[in-house]
Amino acid sequence: MEFLLGVCCMSDVKVGVSMLYSLGESFNRMVKRLGDEGTRYIEVLDDGAHELNKSRVGLLGEVAKSYDLEYTVHAPFADINIASPSRMMLDATLKRLTKSLYYAHALDAKLWVLHPGAKTGISQFYLGAEWKQNIQSIQELYVEAEQLGVEMAIENLPAKYWFTMSCPEDFHKFYRETSLPVGIVLDVGHAHLENQIQPFFEQLADKIVHLHVSDNNGVNDDHLGVGHGTLDYDWLAKTLKKINYDQRVVVESCDHVSESLQKLRAMLN
């Protein structure tokens, strides 16, 4: 795939890096990487070995001051389902996510990224219940976020993995049913699996406040480096220029991370 070098004049685009690729490492090892990422825009994951707590938030705050970093926080997603039909599991999920919001506030995070709810093995017995619970949970979390002064946005997740918000139609439905000023975290890798990248930009460009960028071959969510799959990055770069996108574009690849960062900068700045 050929890349557009120097085509875009988008100096305000903030090209950053998600620490997803380092999730298998210890938290301290991940922190040591932060000053060497080649960007001040860092997305940390509040999950797995990198689950946040008071002391870790303090450490991240010190590193941010040392390297002039700006954080966004990806909410927990492992074993998390805001549309769970189990009240006990749902209560635990919302409690965990609320705690994550408080940590995002403590980090002065510029955004808190939330996954939508998903269907379960018993959803067929309660048709539509997962959507209603998804909406209710988002509304509850938004109240918490607003009180804390934390901006939250919802990420598109592939329908093939049973998620409730995967395409523009799902987000249109969400906006019709709520009045929440919640933006979209457009994960272009997820949208590529659904052939929905172009529809998202055509229909909801004004709602997109954050981009997750990785590549795949249109089959699995591989989180490949930029240009190592079949996603059309030439088209993406032209489109971002056309809509004057000036928010964060975060590399969420699990390989070729530095290379992806450099390619995106060449395309977008």
Side-chain angles (χ1 to χ4, degrees):
M1 180 181 295
E2 295 181 359
F3 289 88
L4 294 176
L5 302 181
V7 170
C8 297
C9 298
M10 301 171 62
S11 59
D12 291 332
V13 174
K14 304 169 181 66
V15 182
V17 171
S18 165
M19 300 312 293
L20 175 67
Y21 79 93
S22 66
L23 194 58
E25 302 174 349
S26 70
F27 181 83
N28 288 339
R29 171 60 180 154
M30 180 274 290
V31 170
K32 289 179 180 178
R33 291 181 178 273
L34 296 180
D36 299 321
E37 289 295 344
T39 177
R40 61 188 296 260
Y41 305 109
I42 302 292
E43 186 153 296
V44 295
L45 281 77
D46 183 8
D47 213 332
H50 299 176
E51 182 176 328
L52 297 178
N53 56 38
K54 186 175 180 180
S55 63
R56 287 178 169 185
V57 166
L59 178 58
L60 286 170
E62 292 175 5
V63 173
K65 291 179 181 178
S66 297
Y67 294 101
D68 190 28
L69 304 179
E70 285 189 5
Y71 294 125
T72 53
V73 173
H74 197 305
F77 56 90
D79 300 320
I80 294 290
N81 183 7
I82 64 171
S84 174
S86 166
R87 189 69 245 180
M88 182 175 67
M89 298 300 292
L90 184 63
D91 287 345
T93 287
L94 293 175
K95 182 178 180 179
R96 175 70 181 90
L97 291 172
T98 299
K99 182 182 292 187
S100 181
L101 272 170
Y102 275 85
Y103 291 140
H105 168 69
L107 284 171
D108 191 26
K110 304 307 176 185
L111 190 72
W112 186 70
V113 179
L114 176 68
H115 279 190
K119 295 180 180 181
T120 70
I122 63 172
S123 292
Q124 60 181 314
F125 300 106
Y126 309 100
L127 295 179
E130 73 282 346
W131 176 261
K132 292 180 181 178
Q133 185 57 63
N134 178 64
I135 295 293
Q136 183 177 332
S137 294
I138 292 171
Q139 290 172 325
E140 291 179 18
L141 290 167
Y142 178 78
V143 171
E144 295 285 350
E146 187 176 39
Q147 291 176 348
L148 291 168
V150 175
E151 181 181 0
M152 65 178 278
I154 304 170
E155 182 175 351
N156 60 301
L157 271 289
K160 66 183 294 183
Y161 300 140
W162 289 23
F163 283 95
T164 58
M165 299 178 73
S166 61
C167 63
E169 289 73 18
D170 298 328
F171 282 86
H172 283 306
K173 183 179 180 182
F174 170 79
Y175 291 123
R176 286 196 303 269
E177 296 181 8
T178 76
S179 58
L180 300 181
V182 176
I184 298 172
V185 176
L186 181 61
D187 187 306
V188 296
H190 295 165
H192 187 45
L193 297 180
E194 305 284 333
N195 295 312
Q196 293 294 316
I197 296 178
Q198 187 169 341
F200 264 110
F201 280 106
E202 289 177 344
Q203 300 177 36
L204 291 162
D206 61 324
K207 297 290 189 181
I208 299 171
V209 299
H210 194 76
L211 256 66
H212 281 169
V213 173
S214 66
D215 216 333
N216 60 61
N217 293 308
V219 179
N220 297 310
D221 189 21
D222 299 312
H223 287 271
L224 303 177
V226 171
H228 291 267
T230 58
L231 201 150
D232 188 349
Y233 275 96
D234 285 354
W235 182 90
L236 180 63
K238 290 178 181 177
T239 300
L240 292 177
K241 178 183 178 182
K242 182 177 180 181
I243 67 172
N244 295 315
Y245 182 81
D246 61 357
Q247 303 300 311
R248 289 168 187 78
V249 177
V250 174
V251 174
E252 205 180 41
S253 303
C254 289
D255 56 28
H256 301 96
V257 177
S258 295
E259 173 191 315
S260 297
L261 183 68
Q262 293 170 8
K263 285 179 177 179
L264 286 171
R265 279 187 172 147
M267 287 188 287
L268 302 178
N269 293 310

